[in-house]
Amino acid sequence: MSRVLLLGESWFVYSVHQKGFDSFHTSEFTLGGQEFVAALRSAGHEVTHIPAHEISTRVPADAEGIAAIADVVVISDVGANTFQLPPATFTRSETQPDRTESLREFVQLGGGLLMVGGYLTFSGIDAKARWGRTPLAEALPVEILDRDDRVELPAGAAPQLGYGHPITHGLDEQWPELLGLNEVTTRPGAATLASCAGHPLLAVGGYGAGRSAAFTSDLAPHWAPPAFLSWAGYAPLFDRTIRWLAGEEIE
């Protein structure tokens, strides 16, 4: 089984409660992706989840350090700034390793990488995610747009299977509807295994000695509604994706 490092999929919410003349503030931290983590652990994978605000202190700064703790890295709903602007650089103007370059090298040397969609992956909302402007972009099986790339599907859209592949073999032809995704284009030489609303949903490819994949919708709400999370194919889909990325044989 694989060692999986999940990066991101966490957030803080700050609320203002206005009650007539007076107001007060509350804050809340949420660690998301529980269904994803549970699915991988139930399949036997070892999963370490590093929330977005701990990436600069807990993610190794070089490819060798990343490979020492992970076979597959999953980046979910966290922007490139979190990897390229650690406090030492942003606050004190000190030079630091570029972790997006370290991740690219990790894949090139034989690691696996999965980027999952959201408001702060690929290009993201208002193009703030910025992954297309990083060294890691060339390791992905998709090309990232240089603009806000969200495709909102409030009425829902059902994914469609495409290229036959061990990851999707045997899964239902009809998947539960999704509520949105990031718009990308599949690179030449990569394979689109599933699409949604006319856009690539799951794409895979090779890079150097490693492998990479892009799942352009969410692994949890809001783009992934309850029906998708409870779908019998949810766990096999991501289990097989991780196994393929790690170079394991898929039964």
Side-chain angles (χ1 to χ4, degrees), residues 161-170 191-194 204:
L161 287 180
Y163 181 87
H165 193 275
I167 291 177
T168 53
H169 178 73
T192 301
L193 308 190
V204 298

Side-chain angles (χ1 to χ4, degrees), residues 143-145 147 149-151 181-185 199 216:
E143 295 181 353
I144 300 173
L145 305 181
R147 57 167 173 77
D149 62 357
R150 291 171 301 138
V151 179
L181 51 84
N182 298 91
E183 182 182 357
V184 298
T185 58
H199 302 284
T216 59

Side-chain angles (χ1 to χ4, degrees), residues 209-229:
R211 294 173 170 181
S212 64
F215 182 79
T216 59
S217 190
D218 251 324
L219 54 76
H222 80 277
W223 278 347
F228 186 79
L229 301 182

Side-chain angles (χ1 to χ4, degrees), residues 24-250:
F24 63 91
H25 301 76
T26 59
S27 60
E28 179 182 7
F29 170 72
T30 302
L31 190 66
Q34 305 303 322
E35 298 86 356
F36 178 79
V37 171
L40 294 188
R41 286 177 175 165
S42 67
H45 300 290
E46 177 187 323
V47 183
T48 301
H49 188 175
I50 298 181
H53 66 285
E54 295 182 0
I55 285 173
S56 65
T57 57
R58 292 182 58 191
V59 174
D62 55 39
E64 292 77 12
I66 297 171
I69 64 172
D71 303 305
V72 178
V73 174
V74 180
I75 299 172
S76 180
D77 213 359
V78 57
N81 285 328
T82 298
F83 295 78
Q84 293 188 310
L85 292 173
T89 298
F90 185 73
T91 304
R92 301 190 296 275
S93 297
E94 298 175 4
T95 58
Q96 293 282 302
D98 185 342
R99 284 177 171 80
T100 69
E101 164 60 21
S102 300
L103 286 165
R104 184 206 63 78
E105 186 179 0
F106 164 74
V107 181
Q108 184 180 39
L109 295 175
L113 177 80
L114 169 62
M115 182 169 284
V116 179
Y119 272 29
L120 282 172
T121 25
F122 299 102
S123 182
I125 187 169
D126 299 332
K128 288 180 178 178
R130 292 186 55 258
W131 281 106
R133 292 174 173 263
T134 70
L136 182 61
E138 71 176 56
L140 294 172
V142 296
E143 295 181 353
I144 300 173
L145 305 181
D146 200 20
R147 57 167 173 77
D148 188 319
D149 62 357
R150 291 171 301 138
V151 179
E152 300 289 358
L153 302 167
Q160 303 292 324
L161 287 180
Y163 181 87
H165 193 275
I167 291 177
T168 53
H169 178 73
L171 293 181
D172 296 338
E173 298 243 344
Q174 189 71 28
W175 296 11
E177 293 185 336
L178 295 167
L179 300 178
L181 51 84
N182 298 91
E183 182 182 357
V184 298
T185 58
T186 304
R187 288 186 185 276
T192 301
L193 308 190
S195 60
C196 185
H199 302 284
L201 173 64
L202 176 61
V204 298
Y207 179 76
R211 294 173 170 181
S212 64
F215 182 79
T216 59
S217 190
D218 251 324
L219 54 76
H222 80 277
W223 278 347
F228 186 79
L229 301 182
S230 61
W231 171 48
Y234 179 93
L237 170 64
F238 287 113
D239 169 43
R240 293 178 187 178
T241 300
I242 295 299
R243 288 175 185 269
W244 183 84
L245 290 169
E248 295 182 19
E249 183 176 348
I250 301 176

